[in-house]
Amino acid sequence: MSTDEYKTIKDTAEGTYSEKRSKFLAFSFHVETEDEVKEILASYRKKYYDARHVCYAYMLGPERLTFRSNDDGEPSGTAGKPILGQINSNTLTDILIIVVRYFGGIKLGTSGLIQAYKAAALEAIKSSEIVICQKEEIIEYSFPYEMMNNVMKVVKQTSPRIVSQEYGNTCEIKLAIRASLAQDLKTRLEKLAFE
């Protein structure tokens, strides 16, 4: 995998794990914002209102800098951290994993809990479709209308995704391109002004 690629999951998946009559239901979701995370968590807390714990962890962004884990009443570090650990060991991002626990009457102890949450999270990851995405950079470029043909020629040669375009006396184009190719596109566009 190159430096401008990252791994995430497609859609939603689930897995289950049982240990000493406790049942762990694990769900993985593709998410891109903390608002999405909050929305999904709220609906799962409502859906599984009768469960003892609804623990989770998430990781966001291609750089993997935004993350959080939550034990939801389990002893500190026994639920959220093991879930986050599975996200990290699989180098995934833009992912939320929720593990719902139904207590089976037998205490698992700290190491038992860690193992169970880790295993449940792994089951959700295993049933997820993993995809490799590319980090994109957004480039905005303004130019006079007379340069339109030259700009579009550069766009055709470099194949960025056109995010938006406005035409008038001054034209504006917003392009998204793979991060490793962004500098080349910027250079080509800047050169147009001198042609």
Side-chain angles (χ1 to χ4, degrees):
M1 211 164 66
S2 71
T3 55
D4 64 354
E5 292 179 327
Y6 60 95
K7 285 194 306 184
T8 186
I9 63 163
K10 203 174 173 181
D11 308 322
T12 304
E14 52 188 80
T16 56
Y17 181 77
S18 297
E19 182 67 36
K20 294 183 180 167
R21 297 207 308 259
S22 273
K23 197 167 183 156
F24 297 83
L25 310 176
F27 306 90
S28 60
F29 306 86
H30 176 81
V31 289
E32 292 177 10
T33 66
E34 289 182 318
D35 286 340
E36 283 179 89
V37 168
K38 287 175 190 158
E39 228 171 85
I40 294 166
L41 274 170
S43 76
Y44 271 68
R45 284 203 166 110
K46 202 178 280 180
K47 187 176 179 179
Y48 294 98
Y49 67 91
D50 57 339
R52 179 76 66 96
H53 306 280
V54 179
C55 307
Y56 67 90
Y58 65 83
M59 176 77 65
L60 299 175
E63 283 77 30
R64 306 179 76 244
L65 299 175
T66 305
F67 57 89
R68 185 156 180 226
S69 63
N70 186 302
D71 297 316
D72 191 37
E74 291 283 27
S76 180
T78 60
K81 267 192 182 146
I83 298 168
L84 187 61
Q86 289 293 20
I87 291 171
N88 280 326
S89 61
N90 286 279
T91 58
L92 293 166
T93 191
D94 290 344
I95 183 173
L96 162 66
I97 296 180
I98 297 174
V99 179
V100 176
R101 179 185 180 199
Y102 284 97
F103 185 57
I106 301 168
K107 291 193 175 192
L108 302 179
T110 308
S111 62
L113 282 173
I114 291 170
Q115 204 46 51
Y117 279 101
K118 201 172 165 179
L122 184 59
E123 287 304 313
I125 290 170
K126 278 183 188 170
S127 37
S128 300
E129 184 184 336
I130 293 175
V131 290
I132 294 176
C133 298
Q134 289 153 1
K135 289 182 207 171
E136 287 187 325
E137 198 170 308
I138 300 287
I139 296 168
E140 294 183 40
Y141 186 66
S142 299
F143 56 95
Y145 188 79
E146 305 81 69
M147 287 174 56
M148 175 67 72
N149 286 344
N150 292 342
V151 170
M152 293 322 276
K153 195 186 286 178
V154 169
V155 168
K156 194 174 180 184
Q157 291 165 350
T158 54
S159 304
R161 184 168 52 83
I162 298 173
V163 178
S164 66
Q165 46 194 347
E166 285 176 42
Y167 304 111
N169 291 340
T170 300
C171 302
E172 306 248 337
I173 192 164
K174 192 189 264 190
L175 306 167
I177 191 164
R178 188 173 176 154
S180 59
L181 305 173
Q183 192 52 54
D184 177 52
L185 177 57
K186 282 183 202 165
T187 306
R188 285 176 181 223
L189 289 171
E190 284 161 12
K191 275 184 188 167
L192 291 177
F194 304 106
E195 284 180 3

